[in-house]
Amino acid sequence: MVTQNKNKSFTLWPYAIIAAIVLFMGYIIFFVVQAMNQDVDLVSKDYYEQEIAFQDHIEMVGRTKAVGDVVINYKPESQAILLQLPKSFAGQQITGRVNLFRPSDDKLDQEVPLQLGRDLSQLVETDNLEKGLWKVRVNFSAGEETYYTEETIQLK
């Protein structure tokens, strides 16, 4: 019996392919675990109730734009937000609230009553607010109608 000695060479390709597949699977598993550990709380506690009332909200914003813009300006030198209602509201009984909403942390949200001066303006102090992005939401009523406006500001 004659045995033939074939020249067998050792190759790493099958091991490299298996190692690449195992590393890829580990990579995917890592990101799945990371995604499962993310906090997915809603920004607002009553999100679903707000969603149902969205059409009313759209109508309030439309009414506000129709009567004129509510001016919301941040004054960093005086650390205050100036709210100015249009002159068309002069002589009317106006009630409402100013909501200072912090998108990154709902524990910092604040609400102050709308207390306008004779010139239909109000200063809201910001010295006790943390620096960063805030949304100033003004919700008010004059007569039988309700109005709403919102402005994003950056406290410095």
Side-chain angles (χ1 to χ4, degrees):
M1 202 171 208
V2 179
T3 60
Q4 294 180 344
N5 191 3
K6 291 189 176 183
N7 189 6
K8 290 188 174 185
S9 64
F10 180 73
T11 179
L12 290 177
W13 278 108
Y15 300 107
I17 292 172
I18 291 171
I21 291 172
V22 168
L23 286 173
F24 179 73
M25 288 172 37
Y27 175 78
I28 295 298
I29 290 170
F30 169 75
F31 277 105
V32 167
V33 168
Q34 289 291 91
M36 297 298 286
N37 290 331
Q38 286 291 339
D39 186 21
V40 290
D41 289 339
L42 297 175
V43 173
S44 185
K45 299 283 188 234
D46 58 347
Y47 173 80
Y48 296 108
E49 290 80 13
Q50 288 178 3
E51 186 67 26
I52 292 170
F54 190 65
Q55 184 60 38
D56 294 336
H57 174 76
I58 291 172
E59 292 170 2
M60 283 193 304
V61 170
R63 276 192 300 272
T64 306
K65 288 186 180 189
V67 296
D69 287 333
V70 176
V71 179
I72 301 173
N73 285 330
Y74 172 58
K75 306 286 185 188
E77 61 277 356
S78 61
Q79 291 189 343
I81 299 168
L82 174 65
L83 305 172
Q84 179 70 51
L85 268 58
K87 298 295 180 200
S88 60
F89 289 110
Q92 296 184 33
Q93 178 67 27
I94 298 172
T95 59
R97 64 188 190 284
V98 178
N99 184 292
L100 302 169
F101 174 72
R102 178 71 182 243
S104 62
D105 188 0
D106 64 344
K107 294 176 190 76
L108 298 176
D109 293 355
Q110 292 188 11
E111 188 170 287
V112 295
L114 189 63
Q115 298 172 336
L116 299 172
R118 291 184 187 175
D119 61 348
L120 298 175
S121 67
Q122 177 177 349
L123 277 176
V124 178
E125 299 295 325
T126 61
D127 53 350
N128 60 345
L129 299 177
E130 285 193 21
K131 308 300 182 215
L133 184 73
W134 288 84
K135 289 189 179 190
V136 180
R137 298 174 174 171
V138 182
N139 193 353
F140 63 98
S141 61
E144 297 292 319
E145 298 292 335
T146 56
Y147 302 92
Y148 176 86
T149 190
E150 179 178 308
E151 187 74 34
T152 302
I153 61 169
Q154 181 76 32
L155 294 184
K156 299 175 183 171

